[in-house]
Each structure stands twice: as structure tokens, then as C-alpha cells.
Amino acid sequence: THTQLQTAIASAQDELLQSATLYDIYRPKEGEAAGIAQGEKSVTLELQLCSPSATLTEEQIDAVVQKVLARLQAQVGARLRA
């Protein structure tokens, strides 16, 4: 659920993560080849990152994204689509 996703994201507890917005949910129609298994859904999240003191580097951004992904995987079984 949306609440479970938000809880998992918040549990990443990173000071650079300002907000997370769920803005798309895709459920494939029966028989449709969408790169996800039947019964699964694909969600699109927007993460807003910000530092008050400096421009973020790619490494900082990647670290936050990986932290959030790890929490989503552990708490709700999420995975990145290939």
C-alpha cells in the first residue's frame, strides 16, 4: 500500500531525502507482457533530495537511492525493473 511504501522510504532516515511522491501505479492487463509478473504492479516514485550546504554529487544521490531501495526491498519486497 501507499502507506507501506512511505513508511519504508521514511525508514531510510537520510537527511538529504526531503520527500517522496508516488505518482504512478501500473498493473498489466491479463496476458500482457510488461516485464513484470502477473499479480505484480509497477510503481513510479519521485525522490526529492536536497542539501542546504552544497550541490549534491552523483555519489551522494546514488547512496540515498540505494538506501531507499534497500529499505523498500526489505520491507515490502520491492525490486527495480530491468
Side-chain angles (χ1 to χ4, degrees):
T1 68
H2 182 262
T3 302
Q4 290 171 316
L5 291 172
Q6 291 290 52
T7 299
I9 293 166
S11 73
Q13 297 180 346
D14 194 289
E15 64 186 21
L16 299 177
L17 181 59
Q18 301 299 304
S19 68
T21 304
L22 171 64
Y23 68 90
D24 187 39
I25 300 173
Y26 172 74
R27 292 178 181 92
K29 296 178 176 115
E30 193 167 328
E32 184 178 25
I36 59 175
Q38 193 65 33
E40 289 185 335
K41 57 188 157 194
S42 174
V43 299
T44 304
L45 298 167
E46 176 183 335
L47 303 176
Q48 182 178 8
L49 308 177
C50 183
S51 170
S53 61
T55 301
L56 296 175
T57 65
E58 281 192 48
E59 291 80 18
Q60 289 173 303
I61 294 167
D62 288 343
V64 174
V65 170
Q66 290 306 314
K67 193 183 225 185
V68 169
L69 280 172
R71 291 299 187 164
L72 288 167
Q73 289 169 340
Q75 294 183 26
V76 298
R79 62 180 171 81
L80 275 180
R81 283 180 56 191

